[in-house]
Amino acid sequence: MNADPSDRQDSTATAVPVAICGMGMRLPGGIHDDATLYEFLLNGKDARSYTGCSRYDVRKFYDPTPRPGTIQTKHGYWLQDIDLSNFDTSMFKMSVPEVERLDPQQRLLLEVVWEAMQNAGETRWQGKEIGCYVGSFREDWLVLHHSDPLDINPFEVSGSVDLALANRISYEFDFKGPRYV
């Protein structure tokens, strides 16, 4: 079959080079570095685990039939070995009250970005054209703080909403590239 050359897209015209220079991560299954991730994938492992009571009492919410207010699984892909109390605030521009209201996602992202820059051997990233792209699923931290109408804080938006994730990273590390959540 002869295809009309005008129907084909020239991939070189739209291709944009991307370089992965360093990696930092917190993934289910206790994966914190590229070597562990590689072994995990190579061995075909699955990071699914039982929810456990440390997160919530799954027995109170589990129901195999879909009903409002229930969950149809007892398992999930959970981050493990996360200690948010070790967050080093000295390298960031945040005040103590702001750090106290900081979503755990932001704390983890800041740590992981730092590790990625270290892994890449970068020491001077400030002001560079570095983009920041973040995928986020929920705003649990925001919902938790909005459950108490008397719990009002000026850092609610910058510390809780998902739209702040990529912006926080870009601001704290002085990245000048695009940022999206």
Side-chain angles (χ1 to χ4, degrees):
M1 178 170 135
N2 291 333
D4 181 1
S6 63
D7 290 342
R8 286 186 256 148
Q9 291 183 351
D10 183 5
S11 63
T12 59
T14 58
V16 177
V18 174
I20 298 174
C21 303
M23 296 173 68
M25 63 192 77
R26 298 291 184 283
L27 299 173
I31 299 170
H32 292 240
D33 58 62
D34 54 345
T36 307
L37 175 62
Y38 179 76
E39 288 298 319
F40 184 86
L41 295 172
L42 192 64
N43 293 314
K45 292 185 178 180
D46 185 356
R48 188 179 97 143
S49 62
Y50 182 74
T51 300
C53 290
S54 65
R55 301 203 177 268
Y56 62 91
D57 189 350
V58 71
R59 297 170 299 178
K60 292 180 180 177
F61 296 97
Y62 175 74
D63 189 338
T65 59
R67 292 184 306 127
T70 65
I71 298 173
Q72 291 180 266
T73 182
K74 295 179 182 179
H75 298 84
Y77 293 87
W78 307 108
L79 295 182
Q80 301 157 346
D81 307 322
I82 302 294
D83 184 2
L84 296 172
S85 66
N86 289 334
F87 182 68
D88 183 7
T89 59
S90 66
M91 51 190 291
F92 302 110
K93 304 168 193 148
M94 294 175 269
S95 65
V96 171
E98 190 172 6
V99 170
E100 289 172 352
R101 295 301 282 227
L102 197 60
D103 184 333
Q105 290 182 95
Q106 284 192 34
R107 290 180 186 212
L108 289 174
L109 279 168
L110 289 166
E111 287 178 0
V112 168
V113 169
W114 172 257
E115 289 173 14
M117 299 307 276
Q118 297 297 305
N119 184 263
E122 283 289 333
T123 57
R124 295 192 178 151
W125 56 78
Q126 296 84 356
K128 287 189 177 179
E129 195 71 22
I130 298 172
C132 185
Y133 305 90
V134 175
S136 178
F137 178 63
R138 298 271 318 223
E139 293 180 327
D140 293 342
W141 193 250
L142 181 65
V143 171
L144 177 70
H145 286 286
H146 279 192
S147 63
D148 182 357
L150 299 177
D151 186 19
I152 299 171
N153 191 289
F155 301 110
E156 199 69 51
V157 173
S158 64
S160 300
V161 297
D162 64 355
L163 63 91
L165 295 171
N167 290 313
R168 167 75 71 186
I169 292 166
S170 293
Y171 173 75
E172 293 293 341
F173 290 98
D174 194 25
F175 295 161
K176 300 299 183 190
R179 50 199 164 270
Y180 298 101
V181 175

